[in-house]
Amino acid sequence: MSLISSLNTAASGLRVASQGINVTSHNVTNATTEGYSRRSLRVETALPSTKGGFGIGNGANPTGAKRSADLFVNRRLVDAIGDESRTASHYQTLRTVEASFDDVSADGPGSLLSQFFDSLSRLTQDPSDGSLREEVLSQGTRFTEGIQKVAADLQTGRLSIYEELEQTISEINNRLAQVADFNAAITASTSEMGAGDFMDKRDQIIHELADEFGFTAVFNGDGSAQVSIGGHAAVTGAEHRELEVQQTAAGVAQVDLQTGTGSVDITSEIGGYFGGRLDAQTDIVSFESDLNDFVDTLATAFNTQHAAGFDQAGAPGGDFFTFTAGSEAATFSLDATLAADSSLIAAAGAATASAGDGANLESLIGIESTNLYAGGTQDATQALGAVYASVGRAVATAEMENNTASVTLDDLSALRDAASGVDLDQEAADLLAWQASYQASARVVTTTNQMLAELMEIVR
Amino acid sequence: MSIVRSTYHSRLSALSSQTRRIGDRMARAQLEASSGLKVMRASDAPGRTSYIHSVRESRADQSEYTSNADWAFQHLSTADGALGGLATVISEARELAVQMSSETYNAATRVNSQDDATALFDRAIMFANTNLGGRYLFAGEAYDSEAYDAATGAYLGDTEEPEVAVADGNVSVLTGFDGSNLLQGTGDVITALQNLETALGTGNAADVQATIDDLDAAMEQIAVARTVLGGEMQRADDGRAIAQTMTIALAEQESDLVDADAVESFTNLFEVQQAFEAALQVTANARSSLLFSRL
């Protein structure tokens, strides 16, 4: 082996150490970059050369930067991100809905229901008292407005989900297109380091798609990723399909995935943030239905009994409440004619009533404690309480699911970090090792150079 | 034993998650301690929500029952006062009847004393038309106008009687009376006085003597009326007492369901605050535990 060969061998050491410092520097720089996977320098021993029957080593060659990744953990992490995001948005949306019901102050529907019937009870003291009659109308208006407010909040919450989807869907489509573009770049890349960076960026987008929509991904042997939702492929290789959102006649959002021949409804398959929002939409529709049923039953029973009584002029009672079928709670109000004239409250039990005839009032008050709801097993207070309870249960369940999903995500994030994360302590140690390696190779060069110089002196 | 690789970033992330969770618990503990409530939303106790609503509704009902009982008691007390006045009138009328039925008085004197009987009749009508806040107590449900015609003594009221609920189960108390029944039953207060007035006008002692039995029956009628009224007052009083007791019991029940135990709340808050401080300290220490900072 010649001294010149030794110089080349030492130079390969300098190259390896230099590349090692480059990789370490890349890792340190991206230590806090979301989705970045740690790189480690792949080094191979250079093929030996044979001279005079001896096999002589030729140093080492850097062959690439290996990306540390556990595909199984990565796939589970994508699912966990989607689950956490879904349960979080579900919980947050329901918390907002729950606040509408206002279970603490005196202005919640439960309190207003009670205050309305209490005003009827006070009217029994003197059914001819105009101020007590006005009080009934006032409390009735407060009660119906309280129900209307909850219904409006529920409707706003439901519609906001569609509006948010409509505003976001083009961004989701852009990201699907980006994943397809990165797939193409990865399969076309000839550089391991460059492909790794593409993968990191693509995986980060996939994480965002999982986070927002619950997309799942399968990573192929060629480095590309297939992104799907509910078994329907949205990105395959360099191709992607777009999503569309529409509002159904029932006022709920529907998301379709375009296919080659048309589109398929994937609303029920959506996960992630919007999956949670859509879960909340389902809950809200259920709450609206419960509230509508409550209003329908209460108002119908009250109007029927009111019609059996007589107003101060001796005329049969008209409607006390009004509502529109299908949106009972949102349209719940006092009859406009009655609201303008408290003498129309049919408190009396007879047409030729005396001032103190409150016979029908007693029957009207009795409606509050009559089991008219849930198949005749609940009274008005219990029925409204049951609506509250169903909201409370949904919120509590969503919170519990979110807590579980958060812990799972934390665990998987830690596992992902264990496999792919950048440990700054390790990078610092690597930096020292590469520095020492560089210094040693440089020392070999210097020493060899001195030996060559001494050889030249002998020749001279 | 395998050791899972732990990175600086994952350590800080884990600490951050833990600190956030403790922060959430601390916020919850602070809210509970400051509001004094452990149930602020339905989701805090979904299983009890419906029952809490029922308890609150029952409390509101008891409040109304108390109000109704107070209202009824005021009217019944006023009516009792009126019956007392009527009893005095009947007593004085009987004294007049006994006096004028004596042969020691002549016919002219009896005729002259008819004015006294008229005055007694007027006083009786005044008591029978007693009103509280414009509400005539012996006019039945027609309490917005006088119960009796002042000139003829004819009953103008209604036979239906107003009432208010004072307890669950349709327990009601009368707040006005049918005067034609209460004052003019077996004994007729109005007619007895009218008969005395008429008898004195004849100047005939026997006629006057004959009214004494009517007046005795009228006095008995008032006694019966006062018994009826006393019973109603007792029911109003009982209703009020029950409602007040129920209000206290329900308030305690609601408190048990929704109110936080102050000692427990503040102890919990203290513990969570300590944990939060510790988490912050650990995070601060972890930030400086880095090999790079020692190179």
Side-chain angles (χ1 to χ4, degrees), chain A residues 42-363:
Chain A
R42 197 196 304 271
V43 181
E44 287 179 1
T45 305
L47 291 175
S49 54
T50 306
K51 211 166 196 178
F54 293 102
I56 305 297
N58 287 315
N61 291 319
T63 58
K66 182 185 173 191
R67 179 171 175 262
S68 302
D70 183 329
L71 294 185
F72 176 66
V73 170
N74 277 357
R75 183 169 177 179
R76 285 197 61 201
L77 183 64
V78 170
D79 293 342
I81 287 170
D83 284 347
E84 198 282 334
S85 189
R86 177 180 194 150
T87 54
S89 68
H90 186 203
Y91 172 53
Q92 292 299 338
T93 305
L94 290 184
R95 276 292 299 272
T96 308
V97 167
E98 186 185 27
S100 304
F101 281 79
D102 187 4
D103 206 19
V104 179
S105 78
D107 296 327
S111 298
L112 295 175
L113 169 74
S114 175
Q115 289 170 38
F116 168 62
F117 277 99
D118 288 346
S119 72
L120 287 170
S121 179
R122 276 192 293 280
L123 184 57
T124 61
Q125 293 176 357
D126 185 358
S128 67
D129 189 320
S131 61
L132 290 178
R133 283 176 168 265
E134 289 297 331
E135 174 70 4
V136 169
L137 295 184
S138 172
Q139 294 297 344
T141 302
R142 287 185 70 213
F143 171 50
T144 57
E145 286 178 351
I147 293 286
Q148 273 185 45
K149 179 183 175 300
V150 174
D153 286 347
L154 290 174
Q155 189 179 38
T156 301
R158 174 166 49 79
L159 293 179
S160 73
I161 294 167
Y162 164 72
E163 289 164 2
E164 192 176 3
L165 268 169
E166 193 180 35
Q167 290 166 7
T168 313
I169 208 75
S170 61
E171 177 59 27
I172 298 292
N173 286 330
N174 284 341
R175 289 183 191 168
L176 290 172
Q178 285 177 335
V179 171
D181 291 345
F182 276 122
N183 274 345
I186 289 164
T187 51
S189 177
T190 55
S191 156
E192 191 175 17
M193 188 89 163
D197 285 342
F198 287 144
M199 285 179 187
D200 283 345
K201 288 179 181 173
R202 180 203 61 194
D203 289 357
Q204 183 57 27
I205 296 172
I206 289 173
H207 286 179
E208 288 168 5
L209 286 169
D211 183 37
E212 296 216 343
F213 247 73
F215 283 99
T216 56
V218 174
F219 300 94
N220 302 317
D222 64 356
S224 67
Q226 177 168 310
V227 178
S228 307
I229 188 163
H232 304 285
V235 177
T236 305
E239 301 294 327
H240 81 282
R241 292 171 173 171
E242 300 220 319
L243 301 175
E244 290 175 340
V245 63
Q246 59 176 311
Q247 192 174 30
T248 67
V252 296
Q254 178 181 315
V255 180
D256 297 325
L257 176 68
Q258 288 181 346
T259 64
T261 54
S263 63
V264 57
D265 180 2
I266 58 159
T267 311
S268 63
E269 311 291 348
I270 293 171
Y273 171 82
F274 280 104
R277 295 279 279 155
L278 289 166
D279 288 343
Q281 175 180 266
T282 304
D283 289 334
I284 289 171
V285 169
S286 172
F287 301 153
E288 285 180 310
S289 175
D290 290 347
L291 201 58
N292 283 340
D293 288 346
F294 169 77
V295 168
D296 192 338
T297 304
L298 175 69
T300 302
F302 203 92
N303 284 346
T304 302
Q305 186 58 51
H306 194 250
F310 297 88
D311 63 22
Q312 283 189 297
D319 278 348
F320 192 95
F321 294 116
T322 62
F323 60 84
T324 302
S327 57
E328 290 85 348
T331 57
F332 189 39
S333 65
L334 293 192
D335 177 78
T337 309
L338 178 126
D341 184 358
S342 65
S343 73
L344 297 179
I345 296 173
T352 53
S354 302
D357 183 356
N360 198 45
L361 268 182
E362 299 293 341
S363 301

Side-chain angles (χ1 to χ4, degrees), chain B residues 232-267:
Chain B
E232 292 297 319
M233 289 174 76
Q234 186 62 50
R235 289 175 69 192
D237 210 30
D238 289 346
R240 179 169 52 194
I242 291 169
Q244 287 172 344
T245 304
M246 286 285 288
T247 299
I248 294 169
L250 289 166
E252 285 177 1
Q253 199 166 22
E254 186 180 345
S255 178
D256 287 344
L257 290 167
V258 304
D259 289 346
D261 178 87
V263 174
E264 191 179 323
S265 291
F266 281 98
T267 304

